[in-house]
Amino acid sequence: MSDELLRQVQLHGSVPAHIAIIMDGNGRWARTRALPRPFGHKAGMSAVREVVEGALAAGVEVLTLFAFSQENWQRPAEEIGALMDLLEEYITRETQDLRAQGVAVRFLGDLDRLGPSARAAVDRLMEHTAAGSKLALNICISYGSRAELTRAARLLAAEAAAGRLDPAEIDEEAISRHLYTAAFPDPDLLIRTSGELRLSNFLLWQLAYAEIFVTSVLWPDFTRAHLWEAIRAYQQRERRFGKVSL
Ligand code: FPP
């Protein structure tokens, strides 16, 4: 059944080059099983592997995952600790496979807020996978879109103050070049799991023309077949970018 889905995806061309995902619902997944929330995050880690493999099989070029927001720093210390431990576990467990699969991992966000051990682990994974050319996997941690835009404004202002940039030349391209995602095209498709209808301060600039796909599936239950279903839905959309149909 899922092989048939992948065949349909490949048959209908126009696979989104860049897919962004808000991985939501880990807490609810755990609650329905009467488990503590970190168990939901742990199960969510397996879903990350599923979507990476599903994206590789479908020929997606860039996958950007929202793993930890700036606002998430306000969660109880115990949950933050569990998430950071999981991040390190993910890195230890997946580095070799990601490298062998040709996945280049980058972490996007305010990485200076990470503790020294998590910081060393994310730097290590980025370094070990830098040569990957099949899929760019961006994992957003300590990420907030408004903070990212504020940082871009600060960088542009500093260049202008130093006399290296004429403020009259600041255009949309210049802003895009100063975002964490500068090296990538904007997402074509945004997937949000667990049914919430919000952007939650994720890629506000970059998602301007993305198609949005919301599923009620909770993140730990999300499989590669769900990813392919989302791509099939995308392939049936008409993208107009503000223009009329031809
Ligand atoms: C949202 O669910 C999910 C998170 C805040 C964490 C996402 C983390 C993972 C998927 C696992 C680790 C991933 C990597 C890449 C190591 P929620 O807790 O807000 O769920 P709820 O809305 O049901 O409470």
Side-chain angles (χ1 to χ4, degrees), residues 57-173:
V60 172
E61 291 162 29
V62 188
L63 182 63
T64 300
L65 306 178
F66 201 5
F68 189 84
S69 71
Q70 283 212 323
E71 293 73 27
N72 288 155
W73 288 115
Q74 290 156 34
R75 291 193 177 192
E78 201 185 328
E79 184 173 346
I80 295 175
L83 275 166
M84 292 298 144
D85 288 350
L86 258 188
L87 180 64
E88 290 191 47
E89 185 183 327
Y90 174 78
I91 292 170
T92 307
R93 201 199 284 181
E94 303 285 327
T95 300
Q96 287 319 319
D97 281 356
L98 289 167
R99 194 180 152 111
Q101 288 164 328
V103 180
V105 183
R106 287 183 190 76
F107 287 89
L108 313 184
D110 183 4
L111 304 184
D112 290 341
R113 288 188 72 176
L114 298 177
S117 168
R119 180 61 196 260
V122 305
D123 286 344
R124 200 169 62 236
L125 180 56
M126 290 196 275
E127 203 184 303
H128 284 174
T129 61
S133 58
K134 296 259 179 9
L135 173 71
L137 172 63
N138 299 323
I139 303 179
C140 297
I141 47 176
S142 190
Y143 174 87
S145 185
R146 287 184 171 184
E148 178 188 34
L149 285 161
T150 306
R151 175 180 169 273
R154 209 180 297 121
L155 293 170
L156 287 163
E159 285 174 34
R164 293 196 307 272
L165 174 71
D166 176 356
E169 277 167 17
I170 297 175
D171 55 10
E172 294 181 10
E173 276 304 305

Side-chain angles (χ1 to χ4, degrees), residues 23-28 37 41 44 67 72 75 83 87 90 219:
M23 309 184 288
D24 195 13
N26 294 352
R28 273 161 284 172
R37 295 174 58 82
H41 298 314
N72 288 155
R75 291 193 177 192
L83 275 166
L87 180 64
Y90 174 78
W219 178 251

Side-chain angles (χ1 to χ4, degrees), residues 9-10 12 19 38 48 51 54 63 85 87 90 119 121 136 196 211 213 232 234 240 242:
V9 162
Q10 288 159 343
H12 290 84
I19 299 181
V48 171
V51 289
L63 182 63
D85 288 350
L87 180 64
Y90 174 78
R119 180 61 196 260
E196 307 288 353
E211 295 295 323
F213 181 88
R232 283 297 296 126
Y234 167 88
R240 290 195 296 275

